[in-house]
Amino acid sequence: MSCEKLREVEERLQKACERAGRKREEVILLGASKSVPAERIREFYACGLSTFGENRVQEFLKKYQALKDIVIDWHFIGRLQSNKVKYILGKVSLIHSLDRDSLAQEINKRAGAVQDVLIEVNIGEETTKGGVAPEELFAFYQHLLNYKNLRVLGLMCVPPYTEDPEKARPYFAKLRELKEKLESEFLVKLPHLSMGMSADFEVAVEEGATIVRIGTLLFGERR
Ligand SMILES: *Cc1c(COP(=O)(O)O)cnc(C)c1O
């Protein structure tokens, strides 16, 4: 059953890549596995999914321990408290949710090696959501260049919730434009755009996503 779900998502992802004239290898499928037990993650791993993202540090650490015998590429995709940073460094390859200087400072201070991160942008400018305001992004990016143990690989967003994936398209396009502007302003290449979830990942791929974060479609509804 897990393999069937993965195959369905994989097929849709492939078609979206074709429509967009992109190669399937350009997009990482990340299983957003919050509330999914370790043994289900193991099933999906056996089906061929190897990148998973967690939102809560305690829950992540339990699964990390339980699944140490297999080679999972773990990402951290949720809000991160500075005092918990030390627990995940060295265990996650990418933190998607860097959104403030205090967190950057803590990562920089604690990291034994360079930690890859994405800047989360509050693309819908919602007061309830984390993320850097779009108009603060350039100054924030510039400031982060001071931190030697931190490498920014791109941007991440969670656009305002909507039933209609087409309504998310302008937000995805805006995130891509922000990334391109950063690249030309700072003469850098930022390889990643983490955007698109179960309801809208195909539109996100059409707008340039390089990481789609899928929970519900793979693992079912969360309780
Ligand atoms: C839960 C979560 C997802 C996956 O959401 P679905 O709609 O279940 O696919 C993606 N990104 C983040 C940051 C999440 O917290």
Side-chain angles (χ1 to χ4, degrees), residues 157-175:
C157 76
V158 182
Y161 178 78
T162 135
E163 296 268 297
D164 176 6
E166 281 303 324
K167 293 217 171 84
R169 188 184 294 276
Y171 295 108
F172 295 146
K174 188 172 167 197
L175 195 72

Side-chain angles (χ1 to χ4, degrees), residues 32 34 55 77-78 156 158 196-199 213-217 222:
K34 57 175 176 274
N55 292 59
I77 64 174
M156 180 270 219
V158 182
M197 317 195 334
S198 290
R213 310 177 309 266
I214 312 288
T216 311
L217 272 184
R222 288 179 290 274

Side-chain angles (χ1 to χ4, degrees), residues 20 52 60 64 66 108-109 133 138 156 190 197 206 217 221:
F52 293 87
F60 162 64
Y64 180 85
N108 185 60
K109 187 172 95 184
F138 279 53
M156 180 270 219
L190 298 173
M197 317 195 334
E206 290 169 14
L217 272 184
E221 294 286 344

Side-chain angles (χ1 to χ4, degrees), residues 100-113:
R100 58 195 190 279
D101 186 43
S102 56
L103 182 56
Q105 272 183 39
E106 182 66 10
I107 295 170
N108 185 60
K109 187 172 95 184
R110 300 267 182 180

